[in-house]
Amino acid sequence: MKFIQGKRINLRVAQVEDAEFILNLRLLQHKSQYLSPVENDLLKQKAWLEGYKQKEEQALEYYFVIENKQHENLGLVRVYDLQPDSFCWGSWLIKDGAPQTTAIESALLVYEFGFNELGYRQAHFDVRKGNDRVIAFHRRFGAQVTHEDELNVYFNYKFEDYLKVKQKYKRYLN
Ligand SMILES: CC(C)(COP(=O)(O)OP(=O)(O)OC[C@H]1O[C@@H](n2cnc3c(N)ncnc32)[C@H](O)[C@@H]1OP(=O)(O)O)[C@@H](O)C(=O)NCCC(=O)NCCS
């Protein structure tokens, strides 16, 4: 079972029992605007998580609940589409009222996991056009835009890019 311990937060793999937390967050209009829509159906969410657990068992995908050190849920982030030379991350969502450092720390922990634990040399991810705050977030981390289509902006992020910023953000890590 994957459990990633950070400084102020942990990433723990989602369980079927997290269905309600996940669904409630994904149904918030202001949070889900730039994410794939989900149906308001708890049974379907549970079934989706059961499917996910099988992928997790085969080390194909990791869906993490972001929690604080008191094990209170703060958000979600997913590592998926594990290509031979690149991992993808996304489905990133942090609930209102979470500490301001949660976004940076969760991104750093995802990179620590993908680069150091899974051993990848690069990552890829896409962000919906118009999700300017998230696009700016990735640019500040040094991610490169590879291409765009009507819907998304596509990014590539290399281990070297990460190493350049890691020093700057070391206060967010243990
Ligand atoms: C995506 C998401 C998890 C990012 O979290 P967030 O808290 O909004 O992230 P922010 O970019 O505002 O960063 C948090 C804080 O860290 C600061 N910050 C971010 N990157 C930084 C950097 N590289 N250096 C310094 N400060 C930085 C921000 O300025 C912000 O501080 P502020 O509140 O004083 O403005 C959140 O916006 C969310 O849940 N969005 C809805 C779902 C979504 O669109 N997900 C993305 C799909 S691709």
Side-chain angles (χ1 to χ4, degrees):
M1 168 112 60
K2 294 284 175 199
F3 187 76
I4 301 167
Q5 269 185 286
K7 191 169 177 178
R8 296 190 181 84
I9 59 170
N10 305 315
L11 304 184
R12 62 165 181 86
V13 286
Q15 306 298 345
V16 176
E17 294 72 33
D18 293 308
E20 208 164 344
F21 171 69
I22 294 170
L23 189 59
N24 286 340
L25 272 186
R26 296 283 305 220
L27 288 173
L28 290 174
Q29 213 273 330
H30 69 290
K31 290 284 170 187
S32 58
Q33 193 182 356
Y34 300 113
L35 296 172
S36 322
V38 296
E39 270 180 75
N40 186 0
D41 184 331
L42 189 60
L43 284 179
K44 276 195 182 157
Q45 183 62 238
K46 284 184 176 165
W48 187 91
L49 281 163
E50 276 156 13
Y52 154 70
K53 292 309 278 185
Q54 290 178 10
K55 292 188 199 160
E56 183 199 303
E57 253 172 50
Q58 298 168 61
L60 293 173
E61 194 167 312
Y62 301 94
Y63 198 18
F64 292 109
V65 173
I66 305 167
E67 60 169 33
N68 66 17
K69 293 293 173 179
Q70 287 74 47
H71 305 291
E72 291 158 351
N73 295 343
L74 298 178
L76 300 163
V77 67
R78 189 159 69 107
V79 170
Y80 62 107
D81 185 26
L82 300 178
Q83 297 288 323
D85 63 347
S86 182
F87 72 96
C88 183
W89 73 283
S91 309
W92 190 27
L93 211 165
I94 294 173
K95 74 177 194 189
D96 291 336
Q100 191 209 351
T101 53
T102 309
I104 295 178
E105 193 180 341
S106 57
L108 292 170
L109 291 179
V110 164
Y111 290 131
E112 285 294 308
F113 176 64
F115 293 133
N116 292 335
E117 201 167 323
L118 299 180
Y120 281 100
R121 304 285 302 180
Q122 54 182 330
H124 59 288
F125 37 88
D126 52 80
V127 183
R128 290 280 196 281
K129 280 189 170 166
N131 200 354
D132 297 337
R133 187 168 164 163
V134 175
I135 291 172
F137 184 98
H138 290 307
R139 285 189 183 280
R140 278 196 299 258
F141 262 64
Q144 307 289 323
V145 173
T146 55
H147 58 293
E148 303 185 1
D149 57 23
E150 289 118 71
L151 194 60
N152 293 316
V153 180
Y154 296 84
F155 286 93
N156 171 268
Y157 193 61
K158 298 210 160 34
F159 184 42
E160 289 74 21
D161 301 324
Y162 175 60
L163 290 179
K164 277 185 210 153
V165 296
K166 188 175 164 178
Q167 189 57 21
K168 191 163 110 189
Y169 298 122
K170 66 172 193 292
R171 68 179 184 279
Y172 296 93
L173 290 167
N174 275 323

